[in-house]
Amino acid sequence: MNPLFTPNIYQERRNKLSAAFPHGVALFLSNGESPVNYPANTYRYRQDSNFLYFFGLAIPNVVGVIDFEQNKSILFGDDFTIDDIIWMGDQPKMSDLATQIAAEEVRPLAELSSFLKGKSVHFTPPYRAENKIELARLLGKTLEELTPSVELIKKIVSLREIKSLEEIVQMVEANEIGAFMHKMVMKFCKPGATERQLFGIAESIALTMGDGTSFPIILSQNGQTLHNHDHSLTLEEGRLLVMDSGAENVMNYCSDHTRTLPVSGKFSTRQKEIYEMVYQANMAAIANCKPGIQNMENYKLAVTILTEGLQKIGLMKGNLEESVALGTHALFMPHGLGHQIGLDVHDMEDFGENYVGYDDTIQRSSIPGYRSLRMAKTLRPGHVITVEPGIYFIPHLIDIWKKEKKFEAFINYDKLENYKGFGGIRIEDSVLITEEGSRVLGTHLPKSVEEIETILQS
Amino acid sequence: MNPLFTPNIYQERRNKLSAAFPHGVALFLSNGESPVNYPANTYRYRQDSNFLYFFGLAIPNVVGVIDFEQNKSILFGDDFTIDDIIWMGDQPKMSDLATQIAAEEVRPLAELSSFLKGKSVHFTPPYRAENKIELARLLGKTLEELTPSVELIKKIVSLREIKSLEEIVQMVEANEIGAFMHKMVMKFCKPGATERQLFGIAESIALTMGDGTSFPIILSQNGQTLHNHDHSLTLEEGRLLVMDSGAENVMNYCSDHTRTLPVSGKFSTRQKEIYEMVYQANMAAIANCKPGIQNMENYKLAVTILTEGLQKIGLMKGNLEESVALGTHALFMPHGLGHQIGLDVHDMEDFGENYVGYDDTIQRSSIPGYRSLRMAKTLRPGHVITVEPGIYFIPHLIDIWKKEKKFEAFINYDKLENYKGFGGIRIEDSVLITEEGSRVLGTHLPKSVEEIETILQS
């Protein structure tokens, strides 16, 4: 156990949840082992993040229940058999596990279904099919009848989105691992190296220093393809390499960094022009992160800088304010500015984005670009968000917009043709909102044109 | 596409299946993306091996149907939308995919359920909960009502267990990757290195050279714990390090090697004694692999050598033949001798072990040791099996047997006490049965005491 995470921490978290609910119980299923190609061959084990937050144990086959009426927590699970111990080595008893997280009671799993009978049971949206089946079985419902508790979701968001000091320590560690992944890739980024080699190096660091990657590594010279998990290319002189990756530390807190590297070691003039726009947008949005600022404002700030830059080099045109208000920039940045990060790299995305990034004061927009923003609401101390502007030249998207003559008063489609092989640029760091303002998590990872070129050429 | 795997190969495989069934259809669901901690954050994609074998495409959201009556194959799936292409880059059309595997027809997924209505639908046991739910939906059944087809299982085993030349080429490649993982770990195996570092190195090689590991790497100084996926220890002078690991090549064919290394670089006298027994058992069983030999005989041969060795150093006693017949050796080797290997590291274990390792001529035994044998039946040319004898000193198991006075005429429990901290030794290679005999797949990986000590000290 991590000495920072005392049993009391888990009990306090559960107490805060209990305080919001006069009746019923909250039910947290652990994640099981997830099969690859037959039942006994499983993926790396990853506990559910809500289970980790309230019950702290990274093991399958346990269920945590918070009984709101009795204000106590029960850990349902069975001790290992001697056969298990022969194959798996010594295992802690359920009672020891309960002590580690200050759960008041332990009961066998076989009692869970009858325990729940007649109670008002709150649960979060199940995302693993095994747990959908298990929830339905436990509650005597069909899969279609399972209804997650919006109240529970909202209360958990209000707790998990404000990171405590112990959590920040973990996130800094995850960011150190994540930064090291990037630094090693920078070291080996040379023409002739393969994307797969760099991918293997980064994966190895995440596994060696922590608990693996926080999401499938994006590492590609085709950075304009946003969800690109192909690593089959050889690095070529003149191209850009986008790497978007993160690590989990052993407590499963996440990092998420993006850097874009010129394979040649030096940006071309055209690459540098675009890079500078994204860099300025990233720096300005980070500088503007502080309590009380709506993150929607940071998004507007970033896309205004990008639009202004694209106008300066003649790819966009027209009135700047109007252009930004209409979302014309969505051609170049069809994603938002970032997301909350914590025990999940897109924190609490199992609840759906709107519960995490929006609240009663701000609703999701329907305007291009704006509608893709994951985290829009007002920043508060303890929030950790990513800031990740980008500019991409996506041939398919350019062709569609051009054909539709979409926003043609603002976009210079003819000039854009020359950028179709450019690729994409994204720059991303994670930012902790503090009482006074904010700070980027982890040690500085080369980011400016000069810093990137220096490390690539060293 | 791999040039060795022509569309015809897949068509021939499906034709062979069709030939065995006059009526009905066989239904093969692709594996979906498997969520880690929220729906969009997924594990490394791994296609179902039966789907790979008959339909060759390593993508989700497609379904392969073999219509036995019409003797044709239909690929159910939907083309990507322009939105998908913007985010994921260019994607092949369903019709192109069908051509790659010589499927006669393409239909939209929405038509599948009505297509199946009224037909006799054969399917293999689903092991992913998503596919259980989907099968039940498609067939209008409850989860409990889903009944896999034993006929289909048996016929698939008869096809998949005999590896073709194209497949052997893939398996050799997987073995080269797997051997390189071991060689690199041998290079860095030194007192002071951590298990986690060596684990990271091995994972990185599997990801860089192929499609990742074929199963979670076992790498531990506590080799007596058979299912040990903990890598938290620092390597210590005098201890043994067991590494059992394998790779998948990009076509998803698997390797599986085990080596046991003395951390000090040199085996102690006692370690060498036990190592030699396991080595001799491994070599003798491999030498005995040829068509017509029951693998149960190889198991008996191996455990006879182990028992004889343990008798010689006084840990076992009594009549050798009787000892072996009773399964007294199960205290030291509580697992079988190996398993078939191919597109799965435990090939076709999604069907259950008995369909793969046993047939009408041999039934699973109930005798200790013997009952753990996964692959017992007669070897045929094209079989690929692992040969992996081991000796372990498992304190919990020793204590239980000793207390029960189990086989006390054959086991010297007093002397055994001194071996409780010894750990375990296992040695494993994969063997292809040929027309003439057999050969170990891949280039030679250091295995004898001398070879291991030489590479560790180099």
Side-chain angles (χ1 to χ4, degrees), chain A residues 231-265:
Chain A
H231 314 293
S232 62
L233 301 180
T234 299
L235 300 200
E236 284 172 27
E237 204 72 63
R239 295 197 68 176
L240 293 169
L241 179 72
V242 172
M243 170 157 145
D244 184 348
S245 68
E248 294 196 1
N249 83 334
V250 292
M251 293 290 287
N252 294 114
Y253 282 87
C254 300
S255 74
D256 189 359
H257 285 101
T258 307
R259 289 293 184 270
T260 305
L261 312 175
V263 172
S264 317

Side-chain angles (χ1 to χ4, degrees), chain B residues 140-388:
Chain B
K141 291 179 188 274
T142 66
L143 295 174
E144 294 71 29
E145 287 168 350
L146 293 173
T147 311
S149 161
V150 172
E151 277 172 283
L152 183 66
I153 289 172
K154 287 186 173 175
K155 186 63 197 170
I156 294 179
V157 170
S158 76
L159 295 174
R160 280 183 54 190
E161 74 178 340
I162 304 302
K163 271 67 182 175
S164 66
L165 186 60
E166 307 85 50
E167 292 184 289
I168 298 298
V169 172
Q170 307 310 312
M171 295 193 70
V172 168
E173 188 180 71
N175 271 275
E176 297 302 345
I177 302 169
F180 192 61
M181 289 162 71
H182 276 271
K183 280 183 198 158
M184 286 299 278
V185 164
M186 288 171 184
K187 194 175 157 64
F188 289 100
C189 173
K190 300 257 163 14
T194 67
E195 292 174 350
R196 208 182 256 278
Q197 283 166 348
L198 301 185
F199 166 73
I201 288 167
E203 283 273 356
S204 148
I205 292 166
L207 287 162
T208 307
M209 297 176 69
D211 202 33
T213 58
S214 54
F215 61 99
I217 293 175
I218 295 170
L219 186 155
S220 174
Q221 291 173 111
N222 287 318
Q224 78 284 2
T225 304
L226 301 182
H227 283 182
N228 192 339
H229 297 126
D230 178 79
H231 314 293
S232 62
L233 300 180
T234 298
L235 300 201
E236 282 172 29
E237 205 68 66
R239 295 197 70 174
L240 294 169
L241 179 72
V242 172
M243 171 157 143
D244 185 348
S245 68
E248 294 196 3
N249 84 332
V250 293
M251 293 289 288
N252 294 114
Y253 282 86
C254 300
S255 74
D256 189 359
H257 286 102
T258 308
R259 289 294 183 269
T260 306
L261 312 174
V263 173
S264 318
K266 213 170 145 45
F267 290 95
S268 71
T269 309
R270 203 165 77 152
Q271 287 170 345
K272 197 193 272 188
E273 273 175 354
I274 304 290
Y275 191 93
E276 282 292 355
M277 295 173 203
V278 180
Y279 177 72
Q280 295 305 335
N282 171 285
M283 295 297 274
I286 290 175
N288 202 46
C289 281
K290 51 189 155 248
I293 295 280
Q294 250 191 4
N295 204 40
M296 175 60 90
E297 293 308 313
N298 288 328
Y299 172 78
K300 283 184 195 156
L301 177 62
V303 299
T304 301
I305 292 170
L306 298 181
T307 305
E308 198 173 11
L310 291 166
Q311 287 189 349
K312 268 194 196 138
I313 62 167
L315 292 178
M316 295 185 83
K317 57 189 178 181
N319 179 276
L320 178 62
E321 244 175 276
E322 205 185 327
S323 187
V324 167
L326 288 167
T328 58
H329 54 269
L331 177 60
F332 302 97
M333 182 168 124
H335 61 69
L337 187 66
H339 46 83
Q340 295 208 52
I341 179 169
L343 279 167
D344 306 301
V345 63
H346 288 182
D347 213 21
M348 300 172 276
E349 197 169 295
D350 51 325
F351 301 156
E353 292 175 23
N354 286 352
Y355 289 118
V356 185
Y358 293 82
D359 59 18
D360 298 342
T361 69
I362 184 163
Q363 301 292 307
R364 193 178 280 263
S365 162
S366 61
I367 299 170
Y370 297 83
R371 68 177 169 226
S372 304
L373 191 55
R374 279 195 166 86
M375 170 66 179
K377 66 189 179 186
T378 301
L379 300 177
R380 292 166 53 203
H383 274 156
V384 184
I385 60 168
T386 65
V387 176
E388 46 179 314

Side-chain angles (χ1 to χ4, degrees), chain A residues 31 34-47 49 82 85-90 127-130 132-133 143 196-197 199-201 203-204 207-211 214-216 224-228 248 250 334-335 343-346 349-350 394 396-397 400, chain B residues 31 34-47 49 82 85-90 127-130 132-133 143 196-197 199-201 203-204 207-211 214-216 224-228 248 250 334-335 343-346 349-350 394 396-397 400:
Chain A
N31 278 341
S34 214
V36 180
N37 50 345
Y38 53 89
N41 199 25
T42 56
Y43 286 110
R44 172 174 82 86
Y45 181 73
R46 177 53 154 82
Q47 183 58 289
S49 298
I82 188 69
I85 291 166
I86 288 166
W87 287 81
M88 302 167 66
D90 273 321
Y127 49 87
R128 289 197 179 184
E130 288 85 353
K132 288 178 195 169
I133 294 173
L143 295 173
R196 207 182 256 279
Q197 283 166 347
F199 166 73
I201 288 167
E203 283 275 355
S204 148
L207 286 162
T208 307
M209 297 176 69
D211 202 33
S214 54
F215 61 100
Q224 78 284 2
T225 304
L226 301 181
H227 284 183
N228 193 338
E248 294 196 1
V250 292
H335 61 68
L343 280 167
D344 306 300
V345 62
H346 288 181
E349 199 170 292
D350 50 324
I394 309 171
H396 283 290
L397 195 58
I400 293 169
Chain B
N31 277 342
S34 214
V36 180
N37 51 344
Y38 53 89
N41 199 25
T42 55
Y43 286 110
R44 172 173 82 85
Y45 181 72
R46 177 52 154 84
Q47 182 58 288
S49 298
I82 187 70
I85 291 167
I86 288 167
W87 286 80
M88 302 166 66
D90 273 321
Y127 49 87
R128 289 196 180 185
E130 288 84 353
K132 288 178 195 168
I133 294 173
L143 295 174
R196 208 182 256 278
Q197 283 166 348
F199 166 73
I201 288 167
E203 283 273 356
S204 148
L207 287 162
T208 307
M209 297 176 69
D211 202 33
S214 54
F215 61 99
Q224 78 284 2
T225 304
L226 301 182
H227 283 182
N228 192 339
E248 294 196 3
V250 293
H335 61 69
L343 279 167
D344 306 301
V345 63
H346 288 182
E349 197 169 295
D350 51 325
I394 309 169
H396 283 291
L397 194 59
I400 293 169

Side-chain angles (χ1 to χ4, degrees), chain A residues 365-426:
Chain A
S365 163
S366 61
I367 299 170
Y370 296 84
R371 67 177 169 224
S372 303
L373 191 55
R374 278 196 165 87
M375 169 67 180
K377 66 188 180 186
T378 301
L379 300 177
R380 293 165 53 201
H383 274 156
V384 183
I385 60 168
T386 65
V387 176
E388 46 178 316
I391 291 180
Y392 315 89
F393 297 92
I394 309 171
H396 283 290
L397 195 58
I398 293 171
D399 290 346
I400 293 169
W401 281 39
K402 188 176 181 181
K403 205 171 155 196
E404 292 175 359
K405 303 185 176 180
K406 195 164 172 176
F407 299 133
E408 62 177 352
F410 299 96
I411 296 164
N412 199 337
Y413 285 109
D414 288 345
K415 198 157 179 195
L416 211 44
E417 286 299 316
N418 301 325
Y419 280 77
K420 272 186 173 173
F422 183 95
I425 289 173
R426 179 165 65 253

